[in-house]
Amino acid sequence: MTSVPTPIPSRTQYVLEGIKHRILTGQLTPGQALVETELAAQFGVSKTPVREALKTLAGTGLVVMNQYKGVTVRMVDADMAREVYDVRLLLEPEALRRAVRRGASLAAARDALTRSDRAADTAERSLANREFHRALYVCCGNPLLGRMLDEVRDQAALVSAVAWAADPSWEREADEHREILRLALDGDADGAASALHAHIASFVQRAFPEAQGEDGQE
């Protein structure tokens, strides 16, 4: 029999989503200490749901738990960027290619792009960007492929948050998003996949030039 994952208690889920939101929107920065008592007070809960939330976030790669230093937001460096974006480059364009070929609806991607254009702040724009990319691959027809991309989604967003804080490049990326979506809506699966690959590669190259691979590609 297939085991059913144990649901996360509501208070733990509430704290988990709250901490994740703060990390991915830059309110909590890489290397910053996450103190259980302080977080418990901020969220109005006991330390138990905070502790469980931090364990889950450690599993997704957003925080690091150290016996001596405690819990901190994961640091972002060129090695991390290369690892995460290598996975995206290998899987995300192919997932989009399959989604287009099977005629999947990309309405969610269009909506996310509209929300990004209308975003009032960096946090809202960042979340819309995440949803845009997920909407491109989630309908690929292979649930396992979608889950594999979901597993690196938070880490990719952390890399992006750090890069945007240093050098905002929203307008350029928005233009690239529009071109990717245009090609996909036109039914050009290979063109959309190629544009997405170039989009992902150029971002990490600009943000972390030292992350360039041995073969000269990101």
Side-chain angles (χ1 to χ4, degrees):
M1 291 179 61
T2 302
S3 60
V4 178
T6 303
I8 298 176
S10 59
R11 286 195 175 187
T12 300
Q13 188 67 41
Y14 164 67
V15 175
L16 172 65
E17 294 301 326
I19 297 174
K20 180 192 290 188
H21 179 83
R22 294 182 184 186
I23 292 173
L24 298 183
T25 56
Q27 297 174 60
L28 293 172
T29 57
Q32 184 170 340
L34 301 175
V35 182
E36 288 183 9
T37 53
E38 293 178 359
L39 291 170
Q42 292 170 17
F43 287 103
V45 298
S46 68
K47 290 197 296 183
T48 299
V50 172
R51 186 177 302 118
E52 293 304 313
L54 292 175
K55 288 180 181 177
T56 300
L57 290 170
T60 64
L62 283 185
V63 307
V64 176
M65 307 186 85
N66 185 285
Q67 181 178 355
Y68 304 103
K69 296 181 180 180
V71 184
T72 57
V73 179
R74 183 173 181 178
M75 294 293 294
V76 174
D77 57 20
D79 287 339
M80 176 198 175
R82 181 176 60 248
E83 290 173 5
V84 172
Y85 275 72
D86 273 352
V87 173
R88 291 189 66 193
L89 285 169
L90 287 168
L91 300 182
E92 201 167 322
E94 177 59 26
L96 174 58
R97 180 183 287 109
R98 294 184 179 202
V100 174
R101 285 179 175 171
R102 67 194 299 264
S105 171
L106 294 173
R110 185 190 292 110
D111 291 344
L113 188 55
T114 299
R115 288 200 306 276
S116 178
D117 288 340
R118 296 175 178 173
D121 55 35
T122 300
E124 187 178 349
R125 191 178 291 112
S126 176
L127 294 174
N129 179 75
R130 280 162 51 79
E131 290 306 315
F132 173 81
H133 277 275
R134 188 172 194 273
L136 294 180
Y137 68 71
V138 73
C139 296
C140 66
N142 184 327
L144 177 58
L145 179 55
R147 288 196 298 273
M148 291 172 69
L149 283 164
D150 277 346
E151 287 183 5
V152 299
R153 186 168 174 244
D154 288 344
Q155 294 180 57
L158 179 58
V159 172
S160 297
V162 171
W164 287 325
D167 181 22
S169 52
W170 302 106
E171 292 185 5
R172 171 173 177 169
E173 286 154 41
D175 288 340
E176 293 173 354
H177 284 173
R178 279 187 278 272
E179 177 62 9
I180 292 165
L181 184 59
R182 183 191 68 78
L183 291 165
L185 292 174
D186 284 348
D188 185 351
D190 290 335
S194 178
L196 178 58
H197 187 284
H199 168 69
I200 295 171
S202 65
F203 177 82
V204 75
Q205 184 177 26
R206 293 194 308 272
F208 298 90
E210 63 273 36
Q212 190 166 342
E214 293 179 2
D215 59 356
Q217 305 214 351
E218 273 61 45

